[in-house]
C-alpha cells in the first residue's frame, strides 16, 4: 500500500520537524565528574595521520538537512512511492520514546540508551529506506545503532564510546519454534534489494563494522562547557600535538610508505569538502590527491632523487636513447624493525603530566581521543552527544582536518530541526561508507596479482616423514631457542626501564613512552639510563581486549653485553588504564609471581610489571604462548568451526591445571579462549586476573571436574549457538521466571546457599555475550510462567528433575548438571538435626518414663514443647520430670 503525496508529506514533515524533550536525569545520581579520556594510544599516532587542524563549518547542519531533501526528491523523481505511513511500522519519534518514560538515566550509559532507543531508531529507519531500499513494502531497515559491550563494568560511566551504527546481517529465514532471533536486515528491505545491492551491503558490513563514532557524555556542567568550547580550537593555526615526553637525542623512525584510506568522492549534500576547506590540496570536483603519502620527516639518502639523476632522466626522454653506464634509479625497500641497528642513546625520564591541568581544559584531549578512535575504526563522522547538546564532526583524511558543526541545542533546534539533522546524518554516513567501500574493493582488485597456472602439487595429506637428520635439526633448534630464551630472561630481569613504542595500524611512535618497573619495592629510579639499563618494546598488533585491559603482541629489543642488538619476538603486553583495571592487573601479576615461585607448569613466563611515568598506565609484559584454542578452530564436513583437542594436549592441560592447583590457585575463568598452544604444540593456561589464592580443596576439585568437561566439549553449546546465529548477533534476550529468590540471588554479590549455581548462570550469560557483545539480558518475574512460550516444556523438565530422571537440559550440554551437585553445609546440618529429633522422639516414646511425662506434657514426645516447659525450671526439678 502506497501513500497519497499529501499524506506522506504531512507525516514526513511531522517527523522532520521534531525535537526531543529535555532528558530527565536522576537527581541523586552519583556519576563522578568527567576527566580527560587520554590513553597511551593517543600519543603514538603516525604523523602522517595525525590531526593538523580543526575547522568550524557554519553550514554543516543545513548541508545535512539538504541531504534529506535530495533523497526525498530522488525517490519522487524516480516514481517511487514510499510505504504507507498509517501502519505501526512507520517510525514516528514517539513510538521509540517508551524508554524515556520508564528509565531515568544516571550516567552516560543511560543517555546512550535514551538516544539509541529513541530518536536514532526513527532516523536509522528513514535513512535506510531513502538511501538503500526505497522500494521496500514497509518501513524497514538495514542499519541499526548498537552498543558494543566493553566488558569493563563500572557503577557509573562518564563516557561511552562504543555506541555506533552498523549494517545488519543478511536476512535468513528463521524457525520461530527454535526460539532463535537474529539481528539482521528486515525481510521487506532484503527483498527490495537487487543482488548487486545485497553484495554492496555485505561488503560494507565487512569493511566497516563501525560506520561512525559516537562519544556519549552525561549532562554535567563540565561536559556542556566542553562541547561549547570546541569552537575555540578552530581559531588555532595547527592542532597541538600530544606526544610522549621521554628525553633522548635520537630515535629510529619507521618511514615505511603506506596507502592512505580513501575519502568519499561525493557527499550526500552534493557539495565537495573542498568548499569547506578552501585549501589547494583538493580539486573542485572533489577528487582526492592521487599522489602517495610521503613521510613528514626526511627520507633516507638512498630514497632521495638527486638533481643529477633528474637531469639524466630528462636527457633520456629527449634523445630516447639510454646513456652509457647510467645507473638505474634505486629505491631501497622499507627496512624491517629488526634490521634497524640504532645507536642506543642514553635516556632521561620524562616529567609526570599535569593531569589536573588537562582536566581543566578538556577540549583538546577529547578531540585528540576521538580522532584516535576514528583512526582505529576508519570512521568519517564523529558525534559528541550529552543529551542536551551535540556537535557533529567530519574527519577528512587527505587534509588531516576535522570539520565541526555549530553547537546543537537538542531541544531548541531550529531551521533545521533536530530530527531532520539526525536523518541527514545517517543518510550521509550510509553514503560515505558505501562510497569508500567501493573504492577499497576497486583498489584491492587492481592490487591483486594475476593467477598463474601451476603444475601438479601433491595433496596436503601426502607429507614426507621426518628423517633422522631433520629430527636432529629440529631438536637442535629447540635447544637453541631454550638457551636464547634463558639469556633474554637473565638480561631483562635487572633492567628497570622499558621504552615502549607502538607500530601497527594508525600508530607509529616518533618518541617512545617510558615505563618503569614497579614489581620491586627496593628500586629507586635514576634520572638517566644507559643503554644496558633499559630495553625496547615494540607493539606490533592487537590481540584482544577485556575487563582487565588491552592485550597486544610485541617484540623486545635490547643491547647485549657484547654490544650487539638482540631481539625476542614472542612477547605479550597487557595494558590497564582505569583504576579498576589496574587493580585487577596488579592482582594478576601477584598470581603469576606466586605460580612462578611455586614452579607451576603450563603458564607463560612474566618479564615484569611496569608503569608509564607520564600517565600511570600499567603494562604487564610476559611471554607470548601462542594462539587460543578458540582461534584455532577449523571447519568440519558441515562447514562448522570445530575445536580439536588431541589426547596429548588434553593431558598437558590437565597437568598444567594440577600444578596450578598444587600452588593453591583457583583460576575461576577457565574458557577455551584462555587455553593456548604455542608453535611447538605445548599447551598453556593464561589470564589469571580472576584467580583466587589459597583456595580450598573442594573448590579446586570442582574446578578440575569442570575443566575436564570443558575439554570434553562443554563449549559445544555456545559454539553451536554462534554458528546457528551465523552473523555473530543475537540481539536482546528476555527471560521469564516465577522464582523471585533466584532473581534476587542473581543481583546479590554476597555469598549464599548454592552460590556456585548462581555463578554458573552468570558465567553462561558471559559466554553467550562473547558471541554478541551488545546483547542485553532482561529477567522478569512471571507468575507461573504465564504467557511464556515453552512453559509446558519447562514444567516437564522440572518434573523430570524432581523425580530424579535425566532431563533434556542435562543431555544437551549442561555438563556441570551431569555430576552430583555439591551439598550445602547448612542444609546438611538441618537435615541431620531433623533426623536426630525424629530418632530422639522415637526413643523417648519407648522409654518407661514416657507415660509419666505424658501426664505432665500432653505434647510429648514432641521435644520442642518440652524444652519450652523445662526452660524455666531448676535443674533438680527438671530431672525429676525427665
Amino acid at each position: 500500500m502506497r501513500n497519497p503525496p499529501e499524506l506522506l508529506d504531512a507525516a514526513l514533515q511531522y517527523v522532520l520537524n521534531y525535537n526531543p524533550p529535555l532528558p530527565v536525569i536522576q537527581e541523586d545520581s552519583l556519576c563522578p565528574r568527567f576527566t580527560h579520556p587520554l590513553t597511551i594510544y593517543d600519543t603514538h599516532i603516525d604523523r602522517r595521520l595525525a590531526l593538523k587542524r580543526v575547522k568550524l563549518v557554519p553550514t554543516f547542519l543545513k548541508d545535512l538537512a539538504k541531504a534529506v531533501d535530495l533523497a526525498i526528491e530522488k525517490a519522487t523523481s524516480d516514481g517511487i512511492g514510499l510505504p504507507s505511513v498509517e501502519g505501526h511500522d512507520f517510525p514516528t519519534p514517539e513510538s521509540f520514546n517508551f524508554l524515556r518514560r520508564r528509565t531515568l538515566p544516571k550516567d552516560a550509559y543511560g543517555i546512550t540508551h535514551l538516544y539509541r532507543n529513541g530518536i536514532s531508531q526513527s532516523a536509522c529507519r528513514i535513512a535506510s529506506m531513502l538511501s538503500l531500499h526505497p522500494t521496500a513494502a514497509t518501513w524497514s531497515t538495514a542499519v541499526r545503532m548498537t552498543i558494543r559491550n566493553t566488558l569493563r563494568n563500572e557503577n557509573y560511566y562518564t563516557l561511552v564510546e562504543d555506541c555506533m551504527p552498523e549494517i545488519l546481517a543478511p536476512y535468513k529465514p528463521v524457525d520461530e519454534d527454535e526460539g532463535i532471533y537474529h539481528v539482521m536486515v528486515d525481510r521487506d528491505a532484503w527483498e527490495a534489494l537487487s543482488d548487486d545491492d545485497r553484495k554492496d551491503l555485505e561488503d560494507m558490513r565487512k569493511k566497516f563494522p563501525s560506520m561512525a563514532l559516537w562519544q556519549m557524555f552525561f549532562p554535567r556542567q563540565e561536559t556542556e562547557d566542553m562541547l561549547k568550547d570546541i569552537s575555540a580550537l578552530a581559531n588555532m593555526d595547527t592542532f597541538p600535538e600530544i606526544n610522549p615526553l621521554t628525553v633522548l637525542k635520537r630515535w629510529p623512525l619507521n618511514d615505511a610508505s603506506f596507502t592512505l584510506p580513501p575519502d568519499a568522492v561525493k557527499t550526500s549534500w552534493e557539495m565537495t569538502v573542498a568548499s569547506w576547506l578552501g585549501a589547494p590540496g583538493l580539486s573542485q570536483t572533489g577528487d582526492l590527491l592521487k599522489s602517495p603519502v610521503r613521510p613528514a620527516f626526511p627520507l633516507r639518502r638512498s630514497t632521495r632523487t638527486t638533481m643529477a639523476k633528474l637531469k639524466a632522466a630528462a636527457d633520456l626522454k629527449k634523445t630516447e636513447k639510454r646513456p652509457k653506464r647510467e645507473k638505474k634509479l634505486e629505491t631501497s625497500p622499507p627496512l624491517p624493525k629488526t634490521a634497524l641497528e640504532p645507536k642506543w642513546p642514553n635516556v632521561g625520564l620524562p616529567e609526570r603530566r599535569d593531569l589536573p591541568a588537562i582536566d581543566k581544559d578538556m577540549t583538546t584531549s577529547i578531540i585528540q581521543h576521538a580522532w584516535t578512535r576514528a583512526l582505529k575504526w576508519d570512521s568519517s563522522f564523529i558525534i559528541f552527544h550529552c543529551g542536551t547538546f551535540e556537535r557533529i564532526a567530519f574527519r577528512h583524511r587527505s587534509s588531516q582536518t576535522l570539520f565541526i558543526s555549530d553547537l546543537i541545542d537538542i531541544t531548541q533546534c531550529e531551521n533545521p530541526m533536530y530530527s531532520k539533522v539526525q536523518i541527514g546524518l545517517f543518510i550521509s554516513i550510509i553514503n560515505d561508507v558505501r562510497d569508500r567501500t567501493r573504492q577499497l574493493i576497486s583498489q584491492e582488485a587492481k592490487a591483486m596479482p594475476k593467477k598463474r597456472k601451476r603444475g601438479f602439487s601433491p595433496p596436503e595429506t601426502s607429507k614426507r616423514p621426518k628423517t633422522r637428520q631433520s629430527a636432529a635439526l629440529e631438536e637442535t633448534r629447540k635447544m637453541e631457542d631454550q638457551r636464547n630464551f634463558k639469556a633474554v630472561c637473565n638480561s631483562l630481569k635487572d633492567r628497570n626501564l622499558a621504552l615502549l613504542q607502538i607500530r601497527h595500524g594508525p600508530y607509529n611512535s616518533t618518541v617512545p613512552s617510558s615505563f618503569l618497573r614497579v614489581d620491586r619495592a627496593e628500586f629507586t629510579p635514576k634520572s638517566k639510563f644507559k643503554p644496558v639499563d633499559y630495553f625496547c618494546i615494540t607493539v606490533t598488533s592487537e590481540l584482544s581486549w577485556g575487563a582487565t585491559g588491552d592485550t597486544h603482541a610485541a617484540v623486545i629489543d635490547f643491547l647485549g653485553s657484547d654490544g650487539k642488538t638482540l631481539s625476542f619476538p614472542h612477547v605479550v603486553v597487557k595494558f590497564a588504564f582505569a583504576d579498576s583495571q589496574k587493580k585487577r592487573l596488579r592482582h594478576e601479576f601477584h598470581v603469576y609471581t606466586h605460580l612462578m615461585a611455586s614452579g607451576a607448569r603450563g603458564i607463560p613466563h612474566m618479564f615484569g610489571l611496569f608503569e608509564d611515568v607520564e600517565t600511570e598506565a600499567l603494562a604487564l609484559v610476559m611471554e607470548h604462548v601462542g594462539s587460543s584454542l578458540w582461534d584455532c578452530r577449523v571447519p568440519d564436513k558441515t562447514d562448522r568451526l570445530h575445536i580439536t583437542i588431541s589426547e596429548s594436549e588434553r593431558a598437558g592441560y590437565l597437568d598444567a591445571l594440577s600444578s596450578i592447583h598444587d600452588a593453591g590457585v583457583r583460576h575461576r575463568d577457565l574458557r577455551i579462549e584462555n587455553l593456548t598452544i604455542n608453535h611447538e604444540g605445548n599447551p598453556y593456561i593464561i589470564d589469571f586476573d580472576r584467580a583466587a589464592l589459597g583456595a580450598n580443596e573442594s573448590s579446586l576439585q570442582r574446578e578440575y571436574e569442570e575443566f575436564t568437561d570443558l575439554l570434553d566439549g562443554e563449549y559445544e553449546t555456545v559454539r553451536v549457538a554462534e554458528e546457528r546465529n551465523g552473523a555473530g548477533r543475537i540481539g536482546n534476550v528476555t527471560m521469564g521466571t516465577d522464582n523471585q529468590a533466584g532473581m534476587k540471588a542473581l543481583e546479590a554479590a554476597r555469598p549464599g546457599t548454592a552460590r556456585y549455581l548462581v555463578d554458573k548462570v552468570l558465567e553462561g550469560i558471559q559466554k553467550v555475550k562473547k558471541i554478541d557483545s551488545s546483547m542485553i539480558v532482561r529477567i522478569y518475574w512471571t507468575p507461573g510462567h504465564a504467557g511464556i512460550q515453552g512453559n509446558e516444556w519447562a514444567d516437564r523438565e522440572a518434573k523430570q528433575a524432581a523425580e530424579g530422571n535425566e532431563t533434556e537440559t542435562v543431555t544437551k550440554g549442561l555438563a556441570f548438571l551431569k555430576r552430583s551437585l555439591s551439598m550445602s553445609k547448612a542444609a546438611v546440618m538441618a537435615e541431620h538435626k531433623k533426623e536426630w529429633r525424629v530418632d530422639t522422639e522415637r526413643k523417648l516414646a519407648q522409654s518407661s518414663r514416657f507415660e509419666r511425662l505424658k501426664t505432665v506434657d500432653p505434647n510429648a514426645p514432641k521435644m520442642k514443647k518440652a524444652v519450652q516447659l523445662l526452660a524455666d525450671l531448676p535443674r533438680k526439678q527438671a530431672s525429676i520430670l525427665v
Side-chain angles (χ1 to χ4, degrees), residues 119-156:
I119 198 166
S120 76
Q121 296 239 29
S122 169
C124 273
R125 192 171 291 267
I126 295 177
S128 180
M129 281 289 299
L130 296 176
S131 302
L132 297 173
H133 43 85
T135 60
T138 60
W139 288 90
S140 47
T141 184
V143 181
R144 72 154 187 176
M145 286 292 292
T146 184
I147 305 175
R148 299 181 185 273
N149 187 14
T150 61
L151 297 179
R152 296 165 186 170
N153 297 324
E154 299 178 9
N155 294 328
Y156 294 91

Side-chain angles (χ1 to χ4, degrees), residues 13 233 255 330 376 411 431 446 477 513 524 535 576 629 646 706 736 748-749 757 824 831:
Q13 287 303 319
L233 297 176
D255 58 358
E330 297 179 356
K376 179 180 179 181
T411 61
N431 291 335
K446 293 179 180 178
R477 181 186 59 79
S513 293
T524 302
F535 61 97
L629 293 184
S646 65
E706 294 170 355
L757 293 177
S824 168
E831 184 67 23

Side-chain angles (χ1 to χ4, degrees), residues 377-392:
W377 293 102
D378 194 19
S379 302
S380 296
F381 286 88
I382 307 172
I383 293 84
F384 304 94
H385 180 96
C386 74
T388 54
F389 294 97
E390 180 177 293
R391 279 193 192 267
I392 300 174

Side-chain angles (χ1 to χ4, degrees), residues 373-569:
R373 295 276 299 176
L375 283 174
K376 179 180 179 181
W377 293 102
D378 194 19
S379 302
S380 296
F381 286 88
I382 307 172
I383 293 84
F384 304 94
H385 180 96
C386 74
T388 54
F389 294 97
E390 180 177 293
R391 279 193 192 267
I392 300 174
F394 180 81
R395 183 174 70 95
H396 192 241
R397 296 161 182 78
S398 59
S399 64
Q400 297 174 253
T401 303
L402 186 68
F403 299 99
I404 58 174
S405 70
D406 286 328
L407 184 68
I408 304 173
D409 189 340
I410 293 175
T411 61
Q412 304 294 327
C413 204
E414 293 182 0
N415 191 28
M417 305 291 275
Y418 184 69
S419 181
K420 189 172 185 178
V421 170
Q422 292 298 298
I423 296 172
L425 171 64
F426 282 100
I427 290 175
S428 301
I429 291 173
I430 293 171
N431 291 335
D432 174 83
V433 169
R434 179 165 48 192
D435 187 316
R436 293 190 293 122
T437 299
R438 291 172 177 172
Q439 290 188 60
L440 290 175
I441 292 176
S442 177
Q443 291 176 4
E444 292 172 358
K446 293 179 180 178
M448 187 177 298
K450 295 182 179 180
K451 294 184 178 180
R452 295 165 56 183
K453 293 183 179 181
R454 296 183 179 180
F456 171 77
S457 57
E460 294 182 359
T461 54
S462 58
K463 295 181 179 180
R464 296 178 59 184
K466 291 184 178 180
T467 63
R468 292 183 179 180
Q469 182 179 5
S470 62
L473 290 175
E474 183 176 352
E475 187 64 26
T476 303
R477 181 186 59 79
K478 288 182 179 180
M479 295 177 62
E480 183 66 22
D481 289 344
Q482 292 177 0
R483 284 195 297 268
N484 293 338
F485 178 68
K486 290 181 179 179
V488 170
C489 296
N490 292 332
S491 299
L492 298 185
K493 66 180 181 180
D494 296 325
R495 304 193 182 208
N496 298 315
L497 174 64
L499 298 182
L500 187 139
Q501 57 185 357
I502 307 178
R503 287 184 176 169
H504 73 89
Y507 310 111
N508 185 12
S509 308
T510 56
V511 179
S513 293
S514 298
F515 280 75
L516 281 177
R517 188 183 292 273
V518 292
D519 51 16
R520 296 174 186 167
E522 68 278 4
F523 168 64
T524 302
K526 301 182 293 186
S527 58
K528 286 190 177 181
F529 288 80
K530 297 180 180 179
V532 294
D533 296 330
Y534 66 85
F535 61 97
C536 177
I537 303 174
T538 303
V539 174
T540 56
S541 66
E542 184 179 22
L543 297 178
S544 63
W545 55 273
T548 302
D550 302 340
T551 305
H552 298 265
V555 177
I556 285 180
D557 297 306
F558 61 96
L559 186 65
S561 57
D562 56 356
K564 295 182 179 180
T565 298
L566 304 178
S567 297
F568 182 68

Side-chain angles (χ1 to χ4, degrees), residues 55-186:
K55 187 173 179 62
L56 183 66
V57 182
T59 63
F60 199 163
L61 301 182
K62 292 186 177 181
D63 290 338
L64 293 177
K66 183 180 178 181
V68 182
D69 297 334
L70 292 173
I72 296 176
E73 289 176 8
K74 186 177 186 304
T76 304
S77 62
D78 292 343
I80 298 174
L82 295 172
S84 173
V85 298
E86 297 177 348
H88 67 278
D89 59 331
F90 181 69
T92 59
E94 286 83 355
S95 64
F96 295 108
N97 277 337
F98 64 94
L99 186 65
R100 185 179 296 273
R101 298 188 295 270
R102 290 188 347 188
T103 307
L104 298 181
K106 67 173 186 177
D107 59 1
Y109 205 74
I111 294 295
T112 304
H113 275 281
L114 277 184
Y115 179 83
R116 176 182 178 269
N117 297 322
I119 198 166
S120 76
Q121 296 239 29
S122 169
C124 273
R125 192 171 291 267
I126 295 177
S128 180
M129 281 289 299
L130 296 176
S131 302
L132 297 173
H133 43 85
T135 60
T138 60
W139 288 90
S140 47
T141 184
V143 181
R144 72 154 187 176
M145 286 292 292
T146 184
I147 305 175
R148 299 181 185 273
N149 187 14
T150 61
L151 297 179
R152 296 165 186 170
N153 297 324
E154 299 178 9
N155 294 328
Y156 294 91
Y157 293 86
T158 58
L159 170 65
V160 174
E161 48 190 0
D162 292 315
C163 178
M164 51 196 68
E166 65 175 2
I167 300 291
L168 298 174
Y171 172 79
K172 293 181 181 178
V174 179
D175 187 355
E176 295 183 359
D177 295 335
E178 294 182 0
I180 301 174
Y181 298 92
H182 298 255
V183 179
M184 55 191 177
V185 177
D186 293 340

